[in-house]
């Protein structure tokens, strides 16, 4: 704590000159109703993006033949018809920045079609991809320099020339570059990385040697206190503005890539269509668990237009190659359940058919691309076994039973996990085996090591006349989640990434977001309980929070609210408010821990946006978990 207080102003100071000038002023009262949905809606990502990206297969060794080979296979194999439409270039495409006018030059030795009369251009390539029915993506960085320059020294596809010519990132050129990428070259998507604002401090060897110019870091994945969050947000806001300017039709996709650092797991949803929740995935089971965990409990932070991104698929290599179909299917199932982008990272020219079949499982894809846009919610979680449940647009549930470990698990799936009635039959379709079955009340099944069994389930809903908010996380946005001081999330698996092995001390909890809003649990992953009464459905959030809830045709809102029994203090009174399109609808008197749940309800017919506010009375620095028990929208 003391360290944090000491360091924050320092980091802020580093960036105060040019960066914080653009930081938007904080609204006077962040809990005041706004009547509007504040998560990112620009761009075009109503459904999680699907496609291919060059990085996992080729790192910086990307060229036109590899890229077109991927596009061709996606078309020929039928994956294109199944929704894979982005062909994205990652790091490795730059030659340099021309210093006379700042224009970016392409590595035409690797991309021959870019060699045109006048300046090199990606337009022929994007034209070709568009003609094949694809969308094209490009890659850049918030800083002056890029990730490969910091972490892939020795790679033959690094930018060339003087230090100034090798400054190919957006910093100082955002509008010029975005215009070039979208208006001139015709790209449809951009991934914006963050190594340039992380790895180029004055005392880094690569800077001291004169190779690169210093840029005081405003991002430190290992330290929140050394990350200047407003300054990072300001840079993304600049990207947002340029994208809007140069894409008048709004048809673009923005991918944020700052690896879960700077508390981005809480605010990435406000700045981009997809946002990375962790450092890089690797073709290793443990590493997949880390990146999966970084998104898995963040259902309320993912919505149509602003999805969690646990990184690209690594199916095709290592623990997910054709010799590991169980692991590959698990990886794919989990990404589908989480509404993660489905971005293939394999060399598709040589990918064996059994893996293409995994990418092509239309029933699994349909879960990811379901119109309701609800990320799966954790229904069971212990001893390396998890049950994830996703509410689909037609009222069906998708359920994934995930065995993370190396011993088989004898599991019981219950009607309660699905929020279905236990006295009525539940029909199941196994989306990997195709087998149909049914059960009433509960069902036993054995889940093999590292297997994920995925069913589509049809049953009678326990809440017949509506939907719990925790069943529709895609419609719920914790605009202010009440977290005062971001803290690393201890629930994320700490793996041994291949690139570091067991050198050093091992990975520590590093991804902030602990204490964020949760579906069906408190912000600290406890069951929801008010004065001894438990709720299996509801939203757990901290006091001093404001949630935005889209209302798609429901007539009534109901909830049982109160301070959760897990609050560490019984002294703090909290009042609950409900607003509809900015107008007050209902509220409670101040409630303390131990007081019974109070009903909070209102007619919401015709209301488009509800806001659910929990306000602590007086000045409080305590994190007070509050529970919106059984919060639901009814017909
Ligand atoms: C970072 C990103 C990766 C990839 C590389 C490129 O590490 O997280 O996804 O884009 O940079 O150098």
């Amino acid at each position: 704590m003391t360290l944090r207080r000491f360091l924050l102003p320092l980091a802020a100071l580093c960036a105060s000159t040019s960066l914080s000038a653009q930081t938007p002023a904080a609204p006077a009262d962040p809990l005041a109703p706004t009547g509007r949905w504040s998560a990112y809606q620009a761009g075009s990502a109503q459904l999680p993006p699907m496609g291919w990206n060059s990085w996992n297969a080729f790192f910086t060794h990307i060229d036109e033949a590899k890229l077109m080979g991927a596009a061709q296979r996606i078309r020929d194999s039928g994956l294109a018809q199944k929704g894979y439409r982005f062909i994205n270039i990652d790091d490795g495409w730059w030659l340099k920045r021309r210093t006379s006018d700042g224009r970016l030059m392409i590595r035409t030795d690797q991309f021959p079609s870019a060699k045109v009369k006048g300046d090199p251009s990606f337009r022929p390539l994007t034209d070709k991809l568009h003609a094949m029915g694809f969308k094209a993506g490009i890659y850049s960085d918030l800083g002056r320099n890029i990730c490969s320059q910091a972490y892939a020294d020795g790679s033959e596809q690094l930018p060339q020339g003087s230090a100034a010519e090798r400054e190919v990132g957006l910093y100082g050129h955002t509008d010029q570059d975005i215009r070039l990428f979208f208006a001139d070259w015709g790209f449809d998507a951009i991934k914006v990385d963050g190594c340039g604002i992380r790895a180029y401090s004055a005392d880094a060897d690569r800077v001291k040697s004169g190779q690169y110019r210093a840029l005081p870091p405003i991002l430190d994945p290992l330290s929140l206190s050394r990350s200047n969050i407003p300054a990072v947000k300001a840079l993304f806001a600049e990207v947002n503005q340029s994208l809007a300017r140069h894409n008048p039709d709004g048809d673009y996709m923005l991918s944020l890539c700052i690896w879960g650092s700077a508390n981005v797991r809480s605010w990435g949803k406000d700045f981009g269509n997809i946002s990375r929740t962790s450092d890089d995935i690797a073709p290793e089971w443990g590493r997949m668990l880390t990146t999966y965990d970084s998104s898995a409990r963040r259902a309320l932070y993912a919505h149509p237009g602003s999805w969690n991104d646990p990184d690209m698929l690594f199916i095709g290599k290592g623990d997910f190659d054709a010799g590991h179909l169980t692991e590959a299917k698990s990886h794919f199932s989990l990404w589908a359940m989480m509404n993660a982008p489905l971005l293939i990272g394999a060399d598709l020219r040589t990918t064996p058919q059994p893996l293409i079949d995994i990418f092509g499982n239309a029933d699994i894809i349909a879960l990811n691309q379901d119109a309701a846009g609800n990320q799966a919610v954790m229904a069971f979680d212990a001893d390396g076994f998890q049950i994830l449940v996703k509410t689909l647009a037609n009222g069906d549930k998708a359920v994934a039973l995930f065995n993370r470990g190396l011993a088989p698990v004898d599991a019981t799936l219950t009607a309660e996990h699905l929020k279905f009635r236990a006295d009525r039959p539940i029909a199941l379709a196994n989306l990997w085996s195709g087998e149909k079955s049914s059960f009433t009340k509960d069902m036993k099944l054995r889940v093999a090591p590292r297997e994920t069994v995925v069913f589509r389930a049809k049953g009678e809903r326990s809440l017949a006349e509506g939907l719990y908010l925790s069943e529709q996380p895609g419609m719920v946005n914790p605009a202010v989640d009440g977290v005062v001081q971001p803290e690393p999330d201890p629930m994320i698996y700490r793996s041994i990434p291949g690139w570091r092995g067991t050198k050093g001390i091992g990975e520590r909890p590093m991804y902030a977001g602990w204490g964020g809003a949760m579906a069906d649990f408190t912000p600290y992953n406890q069951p929801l309980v008010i004065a001894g009464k438990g709720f299996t459905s509801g939203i757990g959030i901290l006091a001093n929070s404001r949630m935005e809830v889209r209302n798609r045709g429901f007539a009534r809102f109901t909830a049982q609210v109160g301070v959760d029994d897990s609050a560490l203090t019984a002294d703090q009174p909290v009042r609950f408010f409900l607003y509809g399109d900015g107008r007050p609808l209902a509220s409670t008197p101040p409630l303390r821990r131990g007081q019974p749940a109070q009903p909070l309800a209102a007619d919401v017919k015709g209301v488009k946006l509800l806001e659910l506010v929990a306000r602590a009375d007086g000045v409080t620095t305590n994190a007070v978990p509050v529970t919106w028990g059984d919060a639901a929208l009814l017909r």
Side-chain angles (χ1 to χ4, degrees), residues 528-594:
L528 301 171
V529 188
I530 303 173
K533 178 177 162 49
F535 295 90
T536 51
S537 294
I539 305 286
I541 193 166
L542 296 177
N544 287 330
S545 56
R546 181 174 62 81
M547 276 184 281
E548 298 158 356
V549 180
R550 287 188 196 275
N551 176 21
R552 294 276 154 84
F554 291 101
R556 193 162 172 79
F557 172 85
T558 62
Q560 301 280 323
V561 301
V563 174
D564 194 87
D565 284 9
S566 64
L568 296 177
T569 170
D571 303 334
Q572 180 59 58
V574 178
R575 294 187 63 184
F576 295 78
F577 300 85
L578 177 67
Y579 300 91
D581 292 332
R583 288 184 304 276
L585 295 180
S587 65
T588 70
L591 300 172
R592 288 182 169 74
R593 190 190 71 192

Side-chain angles (χ1 to χ4, degrees), residues 492-535:
I492 296 170
Y493 182 69
R494 297 178 295 120
S495 50
I496 303 178
W499 61 80
R500 198 162 48 227
T502 61
K503 283 183 272 180
I505 59 165
E507 199 163 270
R508 303 292 105 179
M510 60 192 276
Y511 303 114
W514 189 228
M518 290 261 263
D520 292 342
F521 295 92
T522 76
Y524 301 113
N525 208 17
Q526 299 296 316
L528 301 171
V529 188
I530 303 173
K533 178 177 162 49
F535 295 90

